[in-house]
Amino acid sequence: MKRPTPPIEWVQDHIRIIDQTLLPTEVQLVEIRTAAQAVDAIQRLAIRGAPALGAFGSLALVVALDEAGPATLSEAIAHLEECRTLVGDARPTAVNLRWAVDRVIDKAIRTSDDLASLRTALLDEAHAVAAEDEAACSEIGRLGHELLQEATSIGTHCNAGRLATAGTGTALAPMYAKAQAGEQLRVFASETRPLLQGARLTAWELEDAGIDVTVVPDGAMASTVLSGQVDAYIVGADRIAANGDTANKIGTVSHALAAREAGIPFYVAAPTSTIDINLPSGNHIEIEQRDEVEVHEITGKRITPQGVNAANPAFDVTPHHLITAIITEAGVLRAPFEGSIADALTRTGAP
Ligand code: MRU
């Protein structure tokens, strides 16, 4: 397999990302050197996908500290406290972003007694967040590969692959594992209106890896599944509540309903960093509402009549009873999810 350009890289004193808004037409690398650039990249989805947001947000703290150039340790800490919300809450639904920002800031403050050690600790912890995510993706790939042994045709939604993580992806990691093992595989990727992460990003990265991928309009996926062309679904997650209810890209719940009707498994793949144990159910998950313009326009061209309204919720919540299993680096979790999720977090040593 070719070695693709990483979506996020730390280069000497700045972050370099692929601007995902331009894919697949253009592979443009963008340098992030300020907090404002980092927040802008997150909000316009130049960098996106829950685990990638965690890895990127962590590195953005180092960039923000360097930009501010504080004279004392207490000035630096005060600045990081501002960044905790500025960067950590730049998008609200993917818990990995705020989780990683909190983790990196808290560890750096706890372990540093001068400015230089604070910066070193921030960067080290940011690298640790990315390394752990890379390892989690590999394990999810291994476990998902075992589960999907019999499946030769797999459906997915949005993009939960290399572009969305610091590794081989969550939902797409088992597909890479299957391809590497030389197994037969056809992927149905739903296009994912309005920003087309499936059509643009999943199709791009799977094609780049030599995997057979068919892009399906969102509205055509249910009939594709009901006609027996798909053996199983696997999707990513942005936030998983304590009872297993899962927020993921808008449209995910319609795939889960189609899977239930067709009698095929519906798997969610996510690292345990995507679990928000503080939320008892999906009703408590904040759903990002994005600008209407993303619905009104396709590639900058207005498609709706002037004067009509549009709604643009970026995520929906799939109720836990529609989920066959949640594949994490700490094991394959099954119902009742309250117990299996709590046990998985205990295994990872999460506080
Ligand atoms: O709005 P996006 O593109 O950030 O949404 C991404 C998704 O919904 C992914 O499925 C999720 O973040 C998991 S990525 C491994």
Side-chain angles (χ1 to χ4, degrees), residues 165-248:
T165 63
T168 51
T170 55
L172 300 196
M175 302 185 194
Y176 287 120
K178 279 179 88 66
Q180 212 147 26
E183 291 170 23
Q184 188 189 336
L185 176 62
R186 179 181 191 190
V187 178
F188 284 94
S190 52
E191 59 177 352
T192 320
R193 270 286 287 154
L195 296 180
L196 303 170
Q197 289 93 329
R200 296 188 301 108
L201 309 180
T202 294
W204 182 74
E205 67 162 272
L206 291 183
E207 196 279 332
D208 190 54
I211 294 174
D212 177 358
V213 55
T214 300
V215 176
V216 181
D218 292 326
M221 201 66 179
S223 61
T224 304
V225 167
L226 291 175
S227 68
Q229 295 182 70
V230 179
D231 300 326
Y233 258 108
I234 181 164
V235 300
D238 285 81
R239 195 180 290 243
I240 301 172
N243 69 346
D245 290 351
T246 295
N248 190 50

Side-chain angles (χ1 to χ4, degrees), residues 287-298:
I287 300 295
E288 177 183 6
Q289 304 293 325
R290 293 186 60 84
D291 198 315
E292 286 188 24
V293 76
E294 292 175 351
V295 177
H296 286 308
E297 295 181 354
I298 294 182

Side-chain angles (χ1 to χ4, degrees), residues 45 48-51 91 158-160 164-165 170 197 237-238 248-249 315:
L45 273 54
R48 35 118 343 252
R91 289 185 75 194
C158 193
N159 172 263
T165 63
T170 55
Q197 289 93 329
D238 285 81
N248 190 50
K249 179 52 54 193
F315 300 95

Side-chain angles (χ1 to χ4, degrees), residues 125-146:
E125 195 63 7
H127 286 320
V129 166
E132 285 170 30
D133 187 58
E134 188 178 2
C137 288
S138 302
E139 185 60 5
I140 288 168
R142 191 185 70 76
L143 292 170
H145 183 201
E146 276 175 17

